[in-house]
Amino acid sequence: MKDPLNLKTSMKEEIESALNNQIKTEAHASSTYLSMSTWCGVHGYDGSADFFAKQAEEERAHMLKLFKYINDRGGRAISPDITNITTDFHSLRDLFEKTLQMEMHVTQLFNDMAEKCISQKDFVTFHFIQWFLEEQVQEEYIARRILDLFDIIGEEGKGCWEIDKQLQKVKYEA
């Protein structure tokens, strides 16, 4: 066993692995949102294309925040390979349903990580991921409100075009 003062990181291997898995999840989400942005642009939904492009940037920023944290703690952040990005979608509503599903999955991953942190008594990382958990409340809220627009406005006729214009107004107020 190494002398505790010479250890590179105080993070447990399981926590570092979970953080690296989250980096991969965030990178995959960023690429997926870029794909969604392209689909929207091709189909004339410029507002949605902008929305998903911004979401892609945000997910990349989350990935980099995790990357920096691991490295700052003396761990080894891993740049992931990204594969299996969906490029074809059924409808505008389909994109937002997939968005909500992805965001709920990310929330669960962070909840699982929080549980690991508590069980491993890694309160520093637990504190760090609180920011992400709070962010997930906002992400899920916005996706749900946009899906509500489909129920309120409808998709027939000019409905999707109107939703595309209105979604930029959906905000989360804490």
Side-chain angles (χ1 to χ4, degrees):
M1 181 161 156
K2 294 182 180 181
D3 181 303
L5 296 176
N6 292 328
L7 292 175
K8 281 191 83 158
T9 180
S10 59
M11 271 192 301
K12 300 270 198 280
E13 201 172 301
E14 183 181 357
I15 300 294
E16 185 175 322
S17 177
L19 289 166
N20 271 309
N21 285 336
Q22 192 61 39
I23 285 173
K24 185 172 186 167
T25 298
E26 300 292 336
H28 191 274
S30 179
S31 293
T32 299
Y33 284 139
L34 282 176
S35 178
M36 290 174 165
S37 177
T38 297
W39 187 93
C40 289
V42 166
H43 289 86
Y45 300 122
D46 294 340
S48 297
D50 289 345
F51 173 86
F52 286 117
K54 288 175 188 167
Q55 286 299 112
E57 288 177 31
E58 189 173 297
E59 299 304 328
R60 185 172 189 279
H62 294 169
M63 178 194 75
L64 292 174
K65 186 174 184 128
L66 290 159
F67 209 90
K68 182 175 177 0
Y69 177 79
I70 293 169
N71 288 335
D72 286 354
R73 294 280 315 275
R76 183 172 178 244
I78 299 169
S79 183
D81 289 332
I82 306 303
T83 58
N84 300 321
I85 302 300
T86 301
T87 58
D88 191 35
F89 303 93
H90 302 291
S91 65
L92 188 60
R93 184 182 189 121
D94 181 42
L95 282 104
F96 288 102
E97 287 173 350
K98 285 181 178 12
T99 296
L100 180 56
Q101 290 169 355
M102 283 192 325
E103 294 300 344
M104 290 172 68
H105 175 69
V106 168
T107 300
Q108 188 56 56
L109 292 174
F110 276 114
N111 280 330
D112 293 346
M113 202 178 320
E115 185 178 7
K116 281 181 188 155
C117 289
I118 291 169
S119 71
Q120 299 275 329
K121 296 186 179 184
D122 184 347
F123 300 111
V124 173
T125 303
F126 178 76
H127 177 73
F128 170 72
I129 65 170
Q130 294 303 300
W131 181 88
F132 291 96
L133 287 166
E134 290 174 17
E135 178 76 5
Q136 285 309 115
V137 172
Q138 173 184 330
E139 297 295 340
E140 286 187 30
Y141 176 88
I142 289 172
R144 282 187 184 96
R145 293 300 74 82
I146 292 170
L147 284 171
D148 287 345
L149 291 175
F150 286 91
D151 295 333
I152 295 167
I153 297 171
E155 298 175 63
E156 287 75 37
K158 295 181 183 178
C160 285
W161 182 76
E162 185 62 31
I163 291 166
D164 185 61
K165 287 185 357 185
Q166 295 297 322
L167 70 91
Q168 298 297 331
K169 297 177 183 177
V170 178
K171 304 284 186 230
Y172 177 75
E173 302 290 330

